[in-house]
């Protein structure tokens, strides 16, 4: 149901990718599939925009890439989190938590009136 | 910019990205198909999901580009900090580049303005110029590509090939808006001129087809936008106003569009005159209705090719018409009387077309070769500067070797370091380019001042426009890349070597590259030096030979009474009166007069018919002039045989009186050898009907007439009442300060008639200087370039030599410890320099040989391969180079063996 899914907020895609990669290294298609599953088909990710994000993360040194055989036997480019990436993920998780709780607080106040 | 940056992107990255995306695509399609979707449908859906593969690819590339740019900016900052820390290095590099770029940009500006820039008219690319090649029997007025006016209308009939055809003649008129007249450039044009060019009026109307054929009855002019703004104050009511053109009233019909400056970049007209009124502006010797005269050449004809018609096609198509027309011409009553053989050649002559998107300009002809040559010289200078900077970078690269090695060790890629070096050189080149552009207008102004034509009368500008900016920017960028190329190459290769070689080795690949650079510099410098020496010798020869007369304390000025509306009688009275009064001006000791001026590029010339022992006509033309008695004496020309003109010769050939002529030595030698020249009869023209009835009464020593270069055969006639009307050039011998005399004479002319301005006023020294301006420009500029080139390459040589000595200190020390003499140490270093110098010379000489034919036309009394000049230039180079090498060599001899061995 595309209409019931909302587009992913700007900037959160990078964070989600880091989160997925924190579990285990994966290739682009694997990440896309996991994104679908994790977000329970609520968040709509344009699969195309995944790749600029991956390369951006690679430029920043948060992930590193390696070509290796995939589960189908074909070579695929696998991305893995670096130490810097792990740190970044922690930082983002924290600030995300802060942000959501702050937003929640505002909504709660508004509702109690 | 993006394209340029993309160039750097490695294709390997592209390939990997494609593989990565392909993997995703196929996996997804496979999954969908296994879920029961048709293959085609699945592909469509995946494409939609991914938002188009091309799109994704572009987005990923943007990510890369951003990184590249970020890193490059970082590199630039790094470079900038580095340069601030090394001010001497930075200043040397920026200055050498500014020099090269500034000079090249300035020359390019002139090259562009004089012969690359198309006219600012509609579709200038389709404009062509008509020319007549072969035996052009008709005489005429004007210079270059002149044709009879009626041809214009004939060519208009060839509608299949030409959209339109127009003709024009450039000349100078006396123009007065108030009481005082002054000389102004004007163009006589056919009614088709403005329509074919596609020029519109800014106000009023332009000259059109309706003005055609109204001989003498259409006294209107069109003025240029600039003239309207500057000299008429931009007044709104100028249409209908009267101007005095050559003393005759003409009405302003309109103002031409802004920015249109005629079709000659060398002579910008202030006004346009319809051909019907040509007689107002042309010399009185021309026939009454020149627009109908088929045997007088005086206009340039240009046309616009029809869309899709090729020039060769049109030229071939004109052949039958042209031949028919020439045949018709021979039946005309006023067709010149010529021999049957000449008539054959006349009928075999051709009409030729050439592309004319830049219009027609005398300047194209005279300046093309010199300007290209100078442009080439600046290119060489730029290459030298570039090589120097490359050498400096190499030297610095080695002194920074440790830093670079460290960065390699830390994992920086080769490309990363090469980019750093590129950033360095680009930054410096742009800085040099900026400085160069700042210098360029000054240089251009200097160049324009050097030009033979009066700069005020030309459209040449020193302003830097967008075109020039982009040229300079491009040159700077290319320079930067080239200068950075060598060090970058070295960085890529040197890394592996450097880490393995121990320090203090005797110079590896870097040295070889630097030696190569110095050798190339020496070769380029020698080419410039030889060029400069050739031009200097040419100028020297011309100056040494001189004009054939005394220039000291001679002042010349001209008047043109006809252009001030004088009738023949009035002109005679005016000139006679002036002549009388001139003797009374304080400081004037003697005076003479000639109809045509000396050394201003033009002459009255014609073949001559000679009646000596036999009757014959001269092969080429003789240069003719009418002069007053005493003219030769004022110039200091000697009468070597016979006599000067006398007052009694002045009367225009009365019935009984013998008409007389004086010939110069060159004429006597070429045509009257083996007989007494005195008493021989000569006549003007080569027709069978010419009567040789001027008796040679004297032979005068040779003087330069048209130009300083030309030794010509000359014939002089006495001035007569008829010739006065053509104008007069006075030559005055003055005592004391010429300035005071000039003021006195000007006053005299003003009193005689304020509406008749002198056409020029200058000392003969100035005149000679003007006549040699092209030679002077070439000699001065090439000498300047050569000196700069020499300095640049000596700096390069010195740098390499002293570096090599420091590198080899240990080796030299060991040799000395083993008993080598100081002399042999010096020799060891000098030998190195000599090899480079010798190789440079060996490379340069074949080039000099090959380039010689391009400069030959600009030389005088010296061949391009003159061994003496080449030898002298080589000697200068060698001694300067030896000087630059001797300092490092002395350092080598001063090496203390003990010190050197302990050193490490």
């Amino acid at each position: 149901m595309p209409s019931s899914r909302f587009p992913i907020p700007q900037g959160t895609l990078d964070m989600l990718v880091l989160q997925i990669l924190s579990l285990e290294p994966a290739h682009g298609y694997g990440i896309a599939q996991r994104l679908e599953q994790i977000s329970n088909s609520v968040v709509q990710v344009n699969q195309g925009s995944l790749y600029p994000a991956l390369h951006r993360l690679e430029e920043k040194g948060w992930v590193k890439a390696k070509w290796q055989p995939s589960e189908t036997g074909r070579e695929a480019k696998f991305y893995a989190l670096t130490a810097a990436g792990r740190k970044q993920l922690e930082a983002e998780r924290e600030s995300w938590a802060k942000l959501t709780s702050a937003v929640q607080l505002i909504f709660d106040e508004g509702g109690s009136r | 910019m993006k394209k340029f940056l993309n160039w750097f992107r490695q294709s390997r990255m592209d390939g990997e990205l494609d593989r990565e995306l392909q993997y995703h695509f196929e996996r997804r399609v496979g999954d969908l198909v296994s879920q029961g979707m048709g293959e085609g449908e699945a592909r469509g859906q995946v494409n939609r999901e991914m938002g188009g593969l091309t799109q994704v690819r572009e987005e990923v590339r943007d990510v890369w580009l951003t990184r590249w740019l970020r890193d490059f900016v970082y590199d630039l900052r790094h470079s900038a900090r580095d340069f601030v820390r090394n001010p001497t290095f930075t200043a040397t590099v920026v200055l050498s580049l500014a020099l090269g770029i500034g000079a090249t940009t300035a020359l390019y500006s002139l090259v562009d303005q004089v012969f690359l820039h198309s006219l600012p008219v509609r579709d200038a690319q389709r404009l062509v110029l008509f020319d007549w090649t072969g035996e052009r029997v008709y005489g005429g007025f004007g210079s270059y590509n002149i044709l009879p006016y009626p041809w214009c209308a004939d060519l208009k009939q060839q509608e299949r090939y030409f959209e339109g055809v127009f003709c024009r003649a450039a000349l100078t008129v006396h123009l007065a808006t108030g009481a005082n007249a002054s000389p102004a450039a004007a163009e006589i044009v056919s009614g088709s001129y403005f329509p074919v060019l596609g020029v519109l009026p800014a106000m009023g109307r332009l000259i059109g087809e309706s003005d055609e054929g109204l001989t003498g009855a259409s006294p209107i002019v069109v003025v240029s936008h600039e003239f309207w703004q500057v000299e008429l104050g931009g007044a709104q009511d100028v249409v209908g106003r009267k101007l005095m053109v050559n003393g005759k009233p003409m009405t302003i019909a309109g103002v031409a569009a802004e920015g249109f400056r005629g079709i000659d970049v060398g002579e910008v007209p202030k006004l346009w005159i319809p051909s019907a009124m040509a007689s107002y502006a042309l010399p009185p010797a021309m026939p009454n209705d020149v627009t109908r005269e088929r045997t007088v050449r005086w206009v340039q004809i240009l046309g616009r090719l029809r869309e899709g018609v090729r020039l060769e096609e049109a030229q071939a198509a004109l052949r039958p018409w042209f031949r028919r027309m020439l045949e018709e011409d021979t039946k005309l009553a006023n067709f010149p009387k010529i021999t049957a053989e000449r008539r054959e050649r006349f009928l075999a002559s051709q009409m030729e077309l050439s592309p004319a998107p830049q219009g027609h300009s005398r300047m194209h002809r005279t300046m093309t070769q010199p300007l290209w040559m100078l442009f080439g010289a600046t290119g060489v200078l730029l290459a030298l500067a570039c090589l120097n900077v490359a050498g400096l970078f190499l030297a610095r690269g080695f002194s920074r070797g440790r830093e670079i090695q460290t960065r390699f060790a830390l994992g920086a890629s080769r490309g990363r370091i090469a980019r750093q070096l590129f950033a360095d050189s680009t930054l410096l080149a742009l800085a040099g380019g900026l400085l160069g552009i700042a210098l360029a207008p000054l240089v251009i102004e200097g160049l324009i001042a050097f030009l033979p034509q009066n700069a005020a009368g030309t459209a040449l500008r020193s302003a830097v426009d967008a075109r020039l900016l982009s040229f300079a920017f491009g040159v700077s960028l290319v320079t930067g890349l080239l200068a950075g190329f060598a060090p970058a190459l070295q960085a890529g290769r040197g890394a592996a070597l450097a880490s393995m070689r121990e320090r203090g080795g005797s110079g590896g690949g870097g040295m070889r590259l630097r030696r190569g650079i110095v050798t190339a510099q020496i070769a380029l410098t020698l080419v410039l030096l030889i060029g400069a020496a050739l031009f200097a010798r040419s100028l020297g020869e011309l100056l040494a030979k001189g004009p054939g007369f005394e220039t000291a304390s001679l002042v010349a000025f001209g008047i043109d009474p006809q252009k001030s509306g004088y009738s023949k009688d009035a002109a005679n009275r005016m000139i006679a009166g002036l002549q009388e009064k001139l003797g009374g001006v304080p400081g004037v000791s003697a005076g003479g007069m000639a109809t045509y001026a000396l050394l201003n590029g033009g002459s009255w010339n014609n073949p001559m018919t000679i009646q000596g022992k036999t009757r014959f006509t001269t092969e080429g033309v003789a240069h003719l002039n009418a002069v007053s008695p005493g003219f030769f004496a004022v110039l200091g020309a000697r009468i070597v045989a016979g006599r000067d003109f006398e007052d009694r010769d002045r009367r225009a050939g009365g019935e009984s009186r013998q008409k007389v002529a004086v010939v110069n030595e060159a004429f006597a030698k070429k045509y009257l050898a083996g007989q007494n020249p005195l008493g021989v009869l000569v006549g003007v023209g080569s027709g069978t009907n010419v009567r040789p009835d001027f008796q040679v009464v004297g032979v005068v020593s040779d003087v330069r007439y048209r130009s300083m270069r030309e030794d010509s055969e000359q014939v002089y006639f006495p001035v007569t009442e008829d010739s006065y009307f053509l104008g007069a050039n006075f030559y005055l011998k003055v005592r004391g300060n010429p300035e005071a005399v000039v003021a006195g004479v000007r006053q005299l002319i003003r009193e005689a008639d304020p509406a008749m301005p002198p056409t020029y006023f200058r000392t003969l020294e100035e005149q000679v200087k003007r006549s040699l301006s092209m030679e002077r420009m070439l000699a001065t500029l090439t000498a300047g370039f050569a000196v700069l080139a020499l300095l640049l390459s000596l700096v390069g040589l010195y740098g390499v030599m002293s570096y090599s000595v420091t590198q080899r200190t240990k080796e030299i020390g060991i040799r000395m410890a083993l008993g080598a003499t100081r002399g042999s140490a010096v020799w060891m270093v000098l030998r190195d320099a000599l090899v480079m110098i010798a190789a440079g010379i060996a490379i340069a000489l074949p080039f000099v040989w090959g380039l010689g034919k391009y400069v030959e036309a600009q030389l005088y009394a010296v061949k391009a391969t003159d061994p003496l000049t080449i030898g002298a230039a080589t000697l200068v180079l060698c001694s300067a180079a030896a000087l630059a090498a001797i300092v490092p060599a002395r350092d080598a001899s001063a090496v203390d063996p003990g010190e050197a061995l302990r050193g490490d």
Side-chain angles (χ1 to χ4, degrees), chain B residues 248-285:
Chain B
K248 300 182 186 73
M250 296 188 94
T251 310
I252 298 178
V255 178
E258 189 174 359
F260 180 66
R261 320 167 68 104
I263 63 162
D264 182 347
V265 67
E267 272 177 285
V268 179
K270 288 182 175 172
L271 68 162
W272 289 274
I273 300 168
S275 57
M277 304 311 292
S279 65
Y280 276 26
L282 287 170

Side-chain angles (χ1 to χ4, degrees), chain B residues 195-529:
Chain B
V196 172
L197 285 173
V199 174
L200 298 172
M203 189 188 272
R205 72 168 181 97
L206 299 178
I207 294 162
E209 295 292 352
S210 57
D211 297 295
E212 202 75 1
L214 303 170
T215 307
S218 168
I220 58 144
V221 294
V222 168
V223 297
S224 76
H225 195 273
E226 211 169 307
F227 178 76
W228 173 50
Q229 286 295 326
V230 176
E231 287 172 60
L232 299 177
Q236 290 304 309
D237 59 347
V238 288
V239 173
R241 268 200 215 174
K242 292 239 184 322
L243 290 176
M244 297 301 277
V245 177
N246 285 351
K248 300 182 186 73
M250 296 188 94
T251 310
I252 298 178
V255 178
E258 189 174 359
F260 180 66
R261 320 167 68 104
I263 63 162
D264 182 347
V265 67
E267 272 177 285
V268 179
K270 288 182 175 172
L271 68 162
W272 289 274
I273 300 168
S275 57
M277 304 311 292
S279 65
Y280 276 26
L282 287 170
M286 295 286 279
N288 273 340
D289 189 0
V290 274
T291 59
R292 286 179 224 279
E293 202 59 66
R294 297 200 80 96
T295 58
V296 177
R297 301 185 293 138
W298 65 284
V299 288
Q300 282 97 25
I301 305 183
L302 290 94
R304 179 188 292 284
L305 286 176
R306 213 164 259 297
E307 193 103 51
V309 172
R310 284 178 310 117
L311 185 129
E312 299 76 25
E313 201 182 322
Q315 182 168 308
L318 291 180
R319 231 164 259 153
W321 158 77
F322 191 65
R323 168 87 192 190
R324 250 195 334 273
M325 186 192 65
L326 293 181
E327 269 166 17
E328 287 296 314
D329 270 14
T330 59
K331 295 174 196 151
L332 293 171
N334 55 357
F335 186 77
K337 302 284 176 288
I338 54 174
T339 59
E341 182 236 355
R342 247 187 112 193
R343 190 193 190 89
E344 275 315 302
R345 277 188 284 144
F346 169 76
L347 289 173
S349 63
Q350 297 288 332
M351 173 69 93
E352 274 180 16
L353 296 184
S354 56
Q358 299 92 9
H360 178 273
S361 177
R362 203 156 58 154
M363 214 150 84
H364 289 175
R365 289 177 179 271
T366 53
M367 305 264 308
T368 301
Q369 235 202 351
L371 276 187
W372 276 123
M373 263 161 28
L374 289 175
F375 190 47
T378 55
V380 172
L381 197 63
L382 184 62
L384 270 168
C386 200
L387 285 172
N388 232 25
V389 173
L392 282 171
F393 268 112
L394 266 180
R396 198 174 73 120
F398 272 84
S399 68
R400 287 203 330 185
R402 212 176 275 250
E403 179 199 333
I404 289 177
Q405 277 173 46
T406 314
R407 290 182 66 187
F408 265 122
L410 288 175
S413 71
R414 223 175 247 196
R416 187 78 179 68
I417 289 189
R419 189 178 54 207
Q420 171 71 60
L421 293 173
F422 268 124
D424 277 7
S425 45
T426 309
L427 191 67
L428 286 185
L430 289 181
L434 273 180
L435 194 60
I437 290 172
L439 287 175
L442 289 175
V443 182
I444 301 171
E445 236 155 70
L447 288 175
I448 292 177
F450 255 121
L451 296 185
Q453 268 90 358
N454 200 347
T458 71
L460 297 180
R461 297 287 148 106
S462 62
V464 173
D465 57 4
R467 217 169 134 104
L468 201 59
L469 264 182
S470 49
F471 172 83
F473 181 73
V475 167
S476 311
L477 220 52
V478 170
T479 312
L481 292 182
L482 287 181
F485 184 68
L489 206 70
Q490 206 55 43
R493 210 174 26 178
L497 286 173
S499 54
M500 285 186 285
R501 214 177 43 226
E502 52 184 318
R503 282 176 53 214
S506 58
M511 262 328 261
R512 201 171 319 135
L513 195 55
R514 287 186 68 190
R515 285 207 185 90
I517 288 175
V518 170
T519 308
Q521 283 185 318
I522 290 197
L524 290 175
T525 304
L526 185 58
V527 172
L528 278 188
L529 265 178

Side-chain angles (χ1 to χ4, degrees), chain B residues 550-572:
Chain B
E550 283 297 318
T551 53
S553 61
L554 265 183
V555 172
F557 72 95
I559 55 169
D560 205 343
Q562 182 259 338
K563 285 188 178 165
S564 298
Y566 278 63
S567 69
K568 197 165 150 181
D569 289 340
N572 278 328

Side-chain angles (χ1 to χ4, degrees), chain A:
Chain A
M1 307 270 133
S3 55
S4 68
R5 288 163 37 159
F6 64 88
I8 192 159
Q10 193 77 38
T12 48
L13 179 62
D14 290 13
M15 195 176 71
L16 286 178
V17 171
L18 288 178
Q19 169 64 30
I20 290 167
L21 290 178
S22 74
L23 307 174
E24 60 173 328
H27 50 67
Y29 185 58
I31 298 171
Q33 278 183 317
R34 226 146 303 163
L35 265 176
E36 285 283 320
Q37 292 161 7
I38 292 175
S39 59
N40 233 349
S41 299
V42 176
V43 178
Q44 182 190 358
V45 180
N46 178 353
Q47 304 197 359
S49 64
L50 182 59
Y51 288 92
L54 279 170
H55 282 260
R56 201 158 46 236
L57 293 173
E58 195 183 353
E59 297 295 350
K60 288 179 179 161
W62 293 338
V63 304
K64 55 178 191 284
K66 202 162 83 182
W67 286 88
Q68 58 187 65
S70 70
E71 56 279 15
T72 61
R74 257 181 79 180
E75 283 244 304
K77 196 176 179 187
F78 277 78
Y79 293 87
L81 218 55
T82 62
R86 214 166 281 285
K87 231 185 248 168
Q88 177 67 17
L89 179 61
E90 279 313 313
E92 295 218 8
R93 201 180 269 151
E94 254 171 53
S95 67
W96 180 256
K98 269 186 203 153
L99 178 70
T100 44
S101 58
V103 171
Q104 195 59 50
L105 210 65
I106 294 165
F107 281 145
D108 288 350
E109 272 184 20
S112 69
R113 203 165 280 174

Side-chain angles (χ1 to χ4, degrees), chain A residues 27-29 32-33 46-49 51-52 54-56 59 67 70-72 74-77 79, chain B residues 13 16-17 19-24 26-28 31 48-51 56 59-60 63-64 67 70:
Chain A
H27 50 67
Y29 185 58
Q33 278 183 317
N46 178 353
Q47 304 197 359
S49 64
Y51 288 92
L54 279 170
H55 282 260
R56 201 158 46 236
E59 297 295 350
W67 286 88
S70 70
E71 56 279 15
T72 61
R74 257 181 79 180
E75 283 244 304
K77 196 176 179 187
Y79 293 87
Chain B
M13 287 172 82
E16 280 197 5
L17 177 60
R19 262 175 79 200
E20 187 178 11
L21 294 177
Q22 201 60 37
Y23 179 83
H24 182 121
E26 276 161 20
R27 279 290 302 272
R28 180 72 180 145
D31 283 359
R48 269 196 307 284
E49 274 176 7
M50 295 183 71
V56 175
E59 279 174 25
V60 174
V63 172
W64 296 343
R67 176 183 74 152
R70 201 186 54 226

Side-chain angles (χ1 to χ4, degrees), chain B residues 581-635:
Chain B
K581 284 183 210 139
L582 277 172
V585 175
V588 174
S589 61
M593 196 192 94
T595 303
Y596 297 96
L598 300 179
L599 300 180
N600 78 347
S603 75
W604 166 26
N605 54 72
N606 223 315
M608 299 291 287
T609 298
I610 299 172
Q611 178 73 65
K613 287 176 194 151
T614 56
R615 179 189 162 114
F616 65 100
T617 55
T618 60
E619 234 165 75
V621 294
H623 295 264
L624 320 175
N625 207 343
V627 303
S628 69
F631 170 78
F632 297 126
V634 169
L635 289 191

